[in-house]
Structures are given as C-alpha cells and as structure tokens.
Amino acid sequence: MSVSLGSSTAEHSFYGGKVVARLSSLRFRLLLVSGIVVIVAIGAGALVSSLIITGQFERFVREGGTLGERCFQVIIGPGARVSQEMFLNSVNRSLWSAVLAAGIVAVVLSLTISQRILGPVGELTKAAHRMQSGDLRQRVHVQSQDELGALAQAFNAMADGLAETEDLRRHLINDVAHELRTPLSNVCGYLEAMNDGVTEPTPSIIESLYEEAMLLQRLVEDLQELALAEAGQLKLASQPTAIGDIITKTANAHRTAASEKDIQIVIDLAPGLPAVRADRARISQVLRNLLDNAITHTPPGGQITITARQSGTYVEVSVHDTGSGISYEHLPYVFDRFYRADPSRARATGGAGLGLAIVKQLVEAHGGRAWVRSTVGQGSTFLFTVPITLQQAAPGQTIDPA
C-alpha cells in the first residue's frame, strides 16, 4: 500500500510539474496574452458600437424619421416604419455576428503569428539542447531577416566558433603529444639502456640527455607563455625604449649562428626613429624568434635584412630573408600554434612551431600587429609594429599604451 501511494504521489508530482511548466512557458503566455487582447478588443468594439448605434437610432426616432431604401433595406422593407426595439434587435444581431466572425479571424491570426514566432524559438531550443549533449554540428535554418533571423544567425555563428575551438583543442592535444613524444622517447631510451647495463653514462650521452631535457623545458615554457598571452594575463614592463638599440643588440647576438651558415645580417634603420613604448625583453624575444626562423630557412650565402621605419603613430619593423619563401595557401596560418608549412614536421625545419605564434601574441599585447609577405623562391618578410610613446604622438592622434 505504501509503495502504491508513493508511486501515485510521484506520478501526480510529475504530471503536475509538466502542467506547471507548460503554463509558465512562453508559448502559453503568448497565446494567453493574444487571447486576452482579442477578447478585450472585440468586447470593447462591440460595446462602443452598440452604444453609438443605440444613441443615433433614438435620436433619429425622436426626430420622427422613417427607415427607407437607404438604411437597412436588407432587414426592413423600404418605406416601412418599425419600432425602436425591432430595429435595435436586428442591428445587434448583425453586430454580434460580425463581432463573432472578426473574433474567429483574430484568433486564427493570433495562432498563426504565435506559431511563426515560437517555431524558430523551439528549433533554437532543440538545437541548443543537442549541442549541450556534445553534437556541435547543429545549425538552424535562417527563415527571416528580422530579430529572430538575427538570433538564428548568431546561434549559427556561435556553433561555428565552438566547433572551431573544439577542433583547435584536439589539434593542440595532438601537437603537444607529438612534440613531447620525441624527446621523451630519447630520454627514456637512454635511461633504459643505462639501467640495463647496455650503455655507460658517458659525457656525450649525458650531454644528449641534457639537450633533450632543455628542449622539453623550452617547449613547456613556450606553451605557458603562449597561454598567458592568449588569456591577456601576460605582464609587460612597458617604458619608452629606443627600438634601434633592441634591434642592434639582438642582431649582434645572432651573427655567430648566421655566420656558421654563411648568412649575412644587415641592419637598415631609418634616421631619427622615435622611441616606442614597449617591454625591451619581450620585443627582443620577438626579434629573436623572427631571426631564428629566418636563419633556419635561409640557405648558405643568403642574407637577412632588418629594417625599421616610422609609420604614422607606430614604428614598423621587418625581417626579410632570401630563403625559399612560403606558398600562398600557407600564409594565413603561419602564426597559428604548431603550424609549419613543412608537413614532415622535422625539427630541423622550425622547432615546435610556437615561435611565430608567440611573436603574434607578444606584438598584439603591445598594441601592434604582425603579418607576413612572401613569394616562393624570393624569400619572406615578417613585419610587426610597435606604438611610439604618447609624448611623440602627432596632435589629435592617440596611442593605446601597452
């Protein structure tokens, strides 16, 4: 008995909850409001019309008029005299018939309009629930150009963004696993060989293990730095800085690596460059990454040219190499994480593929932008801008501080 009562109570509670949910739904409220509006409008129209007609007829009768061919000839014969009650009853019957017909039409129109409004909302709700379950392929059909159409377009744009983010997340996991696998495999292989007594811990093996460990450390640091920059949490020690000094010192630090490949580094600075507002260490890191990339892709006997010019309220810096260049289809993606035009992903052709992504994030954190120009067979030019200091901005111009 107790189980039956509990089951009955739960069933009543379930159906009661469904009834309450339906009564509080947008569909029910919209239909209720539409019905109330229709009823009030019809009632008010009928009441006002009845009062007006009654008053006009009473005045007409008091003045001794007759009803002829021009007035209600369908209800009353031409030229006949009728009583006030007969006329009012006939008029009221016709009036209420018209009101009833108008009410039916109004209800049908209200239902149709409500369905046109609630149909897309219901479709959006179902698509959102399916997306919540993990199906990011959901899209809704845009049926109009009004607010509901704009809502559908916004939903589709959100779905596209979520799908793209999910793809990037999967690619990031795969790329990180790929980059970590090689050095970890080398370290584990050496350690296993030494543990089994197959290999002695010679200085060359220890040096190799150290290089692999440093590679892992740099990869983790790059990932952490990139994550901070993308989250807008990277702290910059921005101050007025001479961009020429940063370029000269960074280029000089890379001359040894460049000379080992018989590559010449040329610096071309415009005279009178204004000071920029920047973090010296971060801008130096940007240049280091660009120079490392240029040295890697420039053949022996080539040249790397670093230029700096003022462009409006910015200083524009470019790093041009005489390498093989980048094909057109790869240009939009060179600043993406782990992206490399070389599908072999050989470590000799560009490291982990994080350098240019870090360049883009660091430059944008300073309020500038980074881009690339390249022609296959003629080399590549990587450019970025840094805002000049507020004190040197032209009149009427403003610069966003870093």
Side-chain angles (χ1 to χ4, degrees), residues 19-251:
V19 171
V20 172
R22 290 188 176 183
L23 291 179
S24 61
S25 65
L26 177 62
R27 182 183 298 273
F28 176 78
R29 285 182 289 172
L30 185 59
L31 291 176
L32 180 61
V33 170
S34 299
I36 293 175
V37 170
V38 169
I39 293 173
V40 171
I42 291 175
L47 178 61
V48 173
S49 300
S50 178
L51 293 176
I52 293 176
I53 292 175
T54 301
Q56 290 181 345
F57 178 76
E58 289 177 350
R59 185 178 61 182
F60 181 77
V61 171
R62 284 197 302 270
E63 294 175 355
T66 60
L67 297 177
E69 294 181 352
R70 296 183 179 180
C71 188
F72 303 102
Q73 63 179 17
V74 176
I75 302 174
I76 305 169
R81 287 183 174 274
V82 295
S83 65
Q84 180 178 356
E85 183 179 359
M86 182 184 298
F87 174 78
L88 291 177
N89 289 337
S90 298
V91 171
N92 287 332
R93 280 195 299 270
S94 300
L95 178 62
W96 283 110
S97 298
V99 167
L100 181 61
I104 294 174
V105 173
V107 170
V108 172
L109 289 177
S110 297
L111 292 175
T112 303
I113 294 174
S114 299
Q115 183 59 34
R116 288 183 62 86
I117 295 175
L118 295 173
V121 174
E123 185 180 353
L124 279 168
T125 303
K126 293 178 181 178
H129 285 310
R130 287 192 289 266
M131 287 186 65
Q132 184 181 11
S133 301
D135 186 2
L136 299 180
R137 298 170 298 174
Q138 294 300 315
R139 302 294 185 272
V140 294
H141 178 61
V142 180
Q143 300 178 348
S144 62
Q145 300 298 323
D146 54 8
E147 288 81 358
L148 289 175
L151 178 61
Q153 291 177 347
F155 177 87
N156 290 337
M158 179 193 69
D160 292 338
L162 289 175
E164 182 179 359
T165 301
E166 181 64 17
D167 290 339
L168 290 175
R169 184 188 65 83
R170 287 197 296 265
H171 291 160
L172 175 62
I173 293 174
N174 292 334
D175 290 335
V176 170
H178 180 277
E179 296 299 333
L180 293 176
R181 185 180 299 114
T182 301
L184 283 176
S185 298
N186 293 336
V187 171
C188 291
Y190 278 122
L191 292 177
E192 184 178 356
M194 287 187 291
N195 185 56
D196 294 340
V198 177
T199 303
E200 294 295 328
T202 62
S204 61
I205 292 179
I206 294 176
E207 182 181 358
S208 179
L209 290 174
Y210 177 77
E211 290 178 355
E212 297 295 343
M214 293 302 297
L215 178 62
L216 287 172
Q217 181 178 350
R218 286 195 300 269
L219 178 60
V220 172
E221 289 176 352
D222 286 346
L223 286 172
Q224 183 180 18
E225 192 168 64
L226 189 59
L228 290 174
E230 290 179 344
Q233 298 179 354
L234 189 65
K235 295 182 179 180
L236 299 176
S238 298
Q239 58 184 351
T241 303
I243 189 69
D245 292 344
I246 300 177
I247 294 174
T248 302
K249 291 180 180 179
T250 307

